[in-house]
Amino acid sequence: MNARWAHEDIVYNGNYCAAQGALKNAANNGTALWSFMIALHVFNLLFLRWQTTRAGMAATLIGGWSAIGMIVLLGPSVFEKPDRGPYFGVSGYWCWITDEYPAEQTYMEYFFVSSLVKISEFGLH
């Protein structure tokens, strides 16, 4: 998606930019969440000796993707305010959560991602 901005030599707000921001938010949070889920699954298999069922797998997939969708949709639907501008928009050289929402950048991505990664890595140290 950044190829468009490189070709046009400018980054600007719009639907394409909002889509890129939402995709970036979903990808970062999704990577952290699924890394945590893999670590939890491995722990359950190796240490607790729990067997995975089809229902458990379905619940994990539905719950995981729903959580990621909720995080992405929560920003524009709950936090976006007209006086602060768009939630997903130009943020430096690409599109993401705009600089008008610094607390949301911190808590809707940085804090969430770093917390899940730290929990996932807990047993590796």
Side-chain angles (χ1 to χ4, degrees):
M1 294 182 90
N2 285 339
R4 177 178 179 173
W5 308 128
H7 179 264
E8 295 182 12
D9 203 27
I10 190 169
V11 180
Y12 53 88
N13 286 325
N15 290 334
Y16 189 84
C17 184
Q20 183 183 25
L23 187 60
K24 182 180 182 308
N25 190 234
N28 290 342
N29 286 313
T31 301
L33 178 67
W34 290 115
S35 295
F36 170 72
M37 296 303 284
I38 290 168
L40 184 63
H41 178 67
V42 170
F43 177 81
N44 288 337
L45 285 175
L46 295 178
F47 296 101
L48 302 178
R49 305 281 186 198
W50 289 356
Q51 296 296 316
T52 304
T53 64
R54 284 188 183 260
M57 179 191 66
T60 300
L61 288 172
I62 292 167
W65 286 113
S66 296
I68 294 165
M70 183 191 69
I71 290 166
V72 172
L73 294 174
L74 196 63
S77 63
V78 173
F79 301 122
E80 186 173 281
K81 304 290 184 236
D83 59 318
R84 293 170 70 188
Y87 183 79
F88 291 123
V90 177
S91 181
Y93 295 112
W94 55 78
C95 299
W96 182 53
I97 301 170
T98 62
D99 294 337
E100 297 297 319
Y101 298 90
E104 289 81 358
Q105 286 177 343
T106 301
Y107 295 110
M108 295 303 289
E109 184 151 340
Y110 295 139
F111 179 75
F112 183 73
V113 169
S114 65
S115 297
L116 287 177
V117 169
K118 288 296 179 192
I119 291 169
S120 301
E121 294 175 344
F122 180 71
L124 300 177
H125 295 288

